[in-house]
């Protein structure tokens, strides 16, 4: 019994640790407290996560990488093992800027997150190179809206600020609200810990690519 109790305690502690990382890894208390563009899209979120990285390149150098993201586009810059495990049908994330994928995003553009007819994001705010807000109502298992009344509103807000010395800060805030209650509870339980792997993996992958590209440009 004692071993069982210790095991359960360890599992609970590990989950709590992952849950905390999933909410805030990489971000500062000030960033988590601040209002950012896109907050108004989900006025009363069931969940909010904040993640951030410093990038040794200006925001102008980061921005093109955001514009080529998406399914069968530049990918999401997540680790390859994540892509293989969770998104086997997607291409590997791009390691360089592709002229045919980089684009001038505008409100109303879509960013695919699955095969045609499945999940996608809609661009709802653009302020190049500092703000990109994506919104989705499509990240729901097929048929669940009709069968169970499931609803989901979800935003990704990328907020880029300049740092002294020519670098930049990339802050990603995710906000979501969903119903019914059991779907919202499942969403919070599973998505927030997973967001540590997904969001931080994406931001770190973005940083590695931007800094590599920026270094190459400086040496030309």
């Amino acid at each position: 019994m004692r071993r069982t109790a210790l095991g359960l305690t360890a599992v609970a502690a590990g989950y709590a640790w992952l849950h905390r990382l999933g909410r805030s890894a990489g971000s500062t208390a000030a960033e988590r407290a601040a209002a950012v563009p896109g907050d108004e899209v989900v006025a009363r979120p069931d969940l909010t996560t904040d993640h951030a990285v410093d990038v040794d390149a200006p925001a102008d150098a980061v921005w093109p990488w955001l514009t080529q993201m998406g399914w069968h586009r530049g990918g999401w810059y997540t680790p390859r093992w994540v892509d293989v495990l969770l998104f086997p049908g997607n291409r590997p994330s791009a390691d360089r800027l592709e002229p045919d994928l980089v684009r001038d995003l505008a409100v109303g553009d879509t960013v695919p997150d699955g095969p045609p007819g499945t999940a996608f994001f809609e661009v709802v705010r653009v302020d190049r190179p500092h703000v990109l807000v994506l919104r989705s109502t499509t990240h729901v298992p097929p048929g669940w809206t009709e069968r169970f009344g499931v609803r989901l509103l979800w935003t990704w807000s990328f907020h880029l600020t300049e740092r002294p010395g020519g670098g930049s800060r990339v802050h990603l805030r995710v906000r979501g609200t969903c119903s019914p209650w059991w779907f919202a509870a499942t969403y919070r339980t599973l998505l927030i810990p997973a967001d540590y792997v997904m969001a931080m993996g994406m931001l770190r992958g973005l940083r590695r690519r931007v800094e590599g590209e920026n270094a190459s440009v400086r040496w030309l």
Side-chain angles (χ1 to χ4, degrees):
M1 288 294 292
R2 184 177 181 182
R3 289 183 178 180
T4 300
L6 289 174
L8 292 174
T9 300
V11 169
Y15 175 80
W17 178 69
L18 277 176
H19 202 272
R20 181 176 180 180
L21 290 176
R23 282 190 177 277
S24 59
S27 65
T28 66
E31 285 170 332
R32 294 190 293 274
V36 301
D39 283 355
E40 69 282 357
V41 178
V42 183
R44 296 181 179 179
D46 294 311
L47 66 87
T48 302
T49 68
D50 290 272
H51 302 287
V53 293
D54 292 329
V55 180
D56 187 18
D60 270 328
V62 178
W63 185 261
W65 291 88
L66 299 183
T67 73
Q68 72 171 16
M69 293 189 306
W71 177 274
H72 281 194
R73 291 181 50 79
W76 300 108
Y77 313 131
T78 42
R80 185 60 186 141
W81 69 266
V82 172
D83 294 341
V84 170
L85 182 64
L86 299 181
F87 313 110
N90 200 5
R91 302 168 184 164
S93 294
D95 285 324
R96 61 185 180 185
L97 292 173
E98 301 289 350
D100 59 335
L101 296 179
V102 174
R103 54 178 172 161
D104 291 325
L105 286 172
V107 172
D109 286 344
T110 58
V111 180
D113 196 20
T118 62
F120 64 90
F121 291 97
E122 179 188 2
V123 177
V124 295
R125 182 166 177 178
V126 181
D127 180 11
R128 182 185 188 278
H130 298 296
V131 175
L132 175 62
V133 181
L134 307 177
R135 175 182 63 192
S136 174
T137 59
T138 61
H139 285 74
V140 174
W144 281 35
T145 298
E146 294 77 16
R147 293 174 61 190
F148 307 116
V150 169
R151 298 287 188 276
L152 170 66
L153 173 61
W154 186 23
T155 57
W156 282 6
S157 177
F158 294 88
H159 186 215
L160 283 63
T161 53
E162 307 293 345
R163 298 178 59 245
S168 56
R169 180 77 168 168
V170 182
H171 175 199
L172 170 61
R173 173 168 293 169
V174 177
R175 285 162 69 94
T177 183
C178 46
S179 61
W181 68 268
W182 55 266
F183 186 73
T186 303
Y187 198 70
R188 286 193 297 268
T189 300
L190 299 179
L191 183 68
I192 290 178
D195 210 40
Y196 171 62
V197 175
M198 300 300 294
M200 284 306 296
M202 176 172 65
L203 291 178
R204 288 166 177 159
L206 174 67
R207 175 174 61 191
R208 177 173 62 81
R209 288 166 170 83
V210 173
E211 291 182 349
E213 185 87 4
N214 200 51
S216 299
V217 171
R218 286 200 302 266
W219 283 101
L220 291 178

